[in-house]
Amino acid sequence: MKVNKKQREKTKIKLIEAAVDLIIKNGYEKSTMREIARKAGVGDATIYNYFSTKEQLVWGYVTLRQEQAVNNLAQIPDFETFSLQEKLHAYFECILEGYLPDREFISMAIKMTHKSILTHSDEVKKLNAIFINQIKQFLADAIKNEEIPEQAIETVIPYLILDLYFIILLYWTKDTSEQFNQTTQLIELLLSIAVSVLKQGLVSKLADLGSFLFRHHLFNHMETLFESASFGDIKDKIKKFKP
């Protein structure tokens, strides 16, 4: 029987939720794909049509929560009128709220995904793309509204904000304050600094400076290369110089 897209998505979510429950209860190593499939109410072999390994289930969980956070933003009244800092804060809070029921699981997921980040580059790219695309939209809106000046929102800036998010997420997993008030204060502090830097265009200026210094160093190196080598040597030297 052919499964439509909606049914497939429901089954995918059931498998992810079953995996989270079992891993919290029994631990990652002791939880098996067969047990996860049976808890989700699907056939032992069917699970492999969705996830080939437990690691992929963990990546699937994190991706699902990111997608849900983006959807939840759309439900906030007058969200488009928020300032850049308010949008970023709301986005971070939406992600953390999605993780809250599984807070015990997310600590394990962070450790596991960090260890397997090189062997799961496709999952990392997909996950980061959700976050990065949302941040780019916030930045583009802020530039359009003249809240911040034109700057490199297609390159370094979204990834710096991604780094801030990881700092906040790691802090949140250890936060024992009432209603995670300390995490809220950390978000406000980091975003206040980040937005202030963006308003002054300092990130782009530093990126331009770094690019200039790199090109200056490269050109000097090439000038020395051509001065000290005969034309016949150049190709061999360039090959050695390539990273």
Side-chain angles (χ1 to χ4, degrees), residues 26-241:
N26 302 327
Y28 180 76
E29 296 299 332
K30 292 182 179 179
S31 300
T32 67
M33 293 290 279
R34 176 181 293 182
E35 289 173 331
I36 292 169
R38 292 181 177 179
K39 184 172 179 61
V42 305
D44 293 354
T46 303
I47 188 173
Y48 294 100
N49 293 330
Y50 296 85
F51 303 99
S52 59
T53 65
K54 285 188 291 182
E55 284 185 327
Q56 283 197 349
L57 275 160
V58 175
W59 284 107
Y61 166 82
V62 179
T63 300
L64 175 64
R65 291 291 181 259
Q66 287 278 3
E67 291 171 340
Q68 290 173 336
V70 171
N71 291 334
N72 289 339
L73 286 179
Q75 309 304 316
I76 299 176
D78 300 321
F79 183 73
E80 67 279 0
T81 66
F82 285 18
S83 68
L84 175 59
Q85 183 170 336
E86 290 170 336
K87 287 179 178 178
L88 291 169
H89 196 142
Y91 186 32
F92 289 2
E93 290 282 5
C94 280
I95 297 173
L96 295 181
E97 285 174 8
Y99 288 149
L100 185 57
D102 315 305
R103 189 162 177 254
E104 184 180 349
F105 175 80
I106 198 63
S107 296
M108 181 280 302
I110 290 171
K111 293 177 183 177
M112 199 214 77
T113 53
H114 177 71
K115 291 179 181 178
S116 62
I117 196 165
L118 294 178
T119 56
H120 289 73
S121 59
D122 289 340
E123 286 87 345
V124 174
K125 287 178 182 177
K126 180 181 178 182
L127 177 59
N128 284 350
I130 298 170
F131 186 95
I132 294 298
N133 289 338
Q134 187 62 64
I135 297 302
K136 285 181 180 178
Q137 184 60 57
F138 294 160
L139 293 169
D141 290 342
I143 291 172
K144 181 180 178 181
N145 296 333
E146 299 183 344
E147 189 178 349
I148 61 174
E150 285 277 356
Q151 46 201 296
I153 67 171
E154 293 295 328
T155 54
V156 64
I157 295 174
Y159 292 92
L160 292 176
I161 295 175
L162 177 61
D163 289 341
L164 287 183
Y165 159 70
F166 279 128
I167 292 171
I168 291 165
L169 180 60
L170 288 170
Y171 185 87
W172 175 77
T173 62
K174 305 294 184 183
D175 188 1
T176 57
S177 63
E178 185 177 357
Q179 297 183 334
F180 308 108
N181 286 330
Q182 290 183 357
T183 298
T184 299
Q185 292 175 27
L186 179 64
I187 293 174
E188 290 175 351
L189 175 62
L190 291 179
L191 291 183
S192 176
I193 294 171
V195 171
S196 177
V197 168
L198 290 174
K199 286 181 176 180
Q200 297 176 59
L202 294 179
V203 176
S204 291
K205 290 174 183 176
L206 289 172
D208 290 343
L209 176 60
S211 176
F212 169 79
L213 292 175
F214 173 77
R215 284 185 280 110
H216 181 71
H217 174 75
L218 178 62
F219 291 154
N220 282 344
H221 185 94
M222 293 303 293
E223 184 179 346
T224 302
L225 176 68
F226 278 87
E227 286 177 352
S228 62
S230 66
F231 186 75
D233 299 339
I234 289 174
K235 287 186 179 179
D236 291 336
K237 289 184 178 290
I238 289 176
K239 287 180 181 177
K240 291 179 182 179
F241 177 71

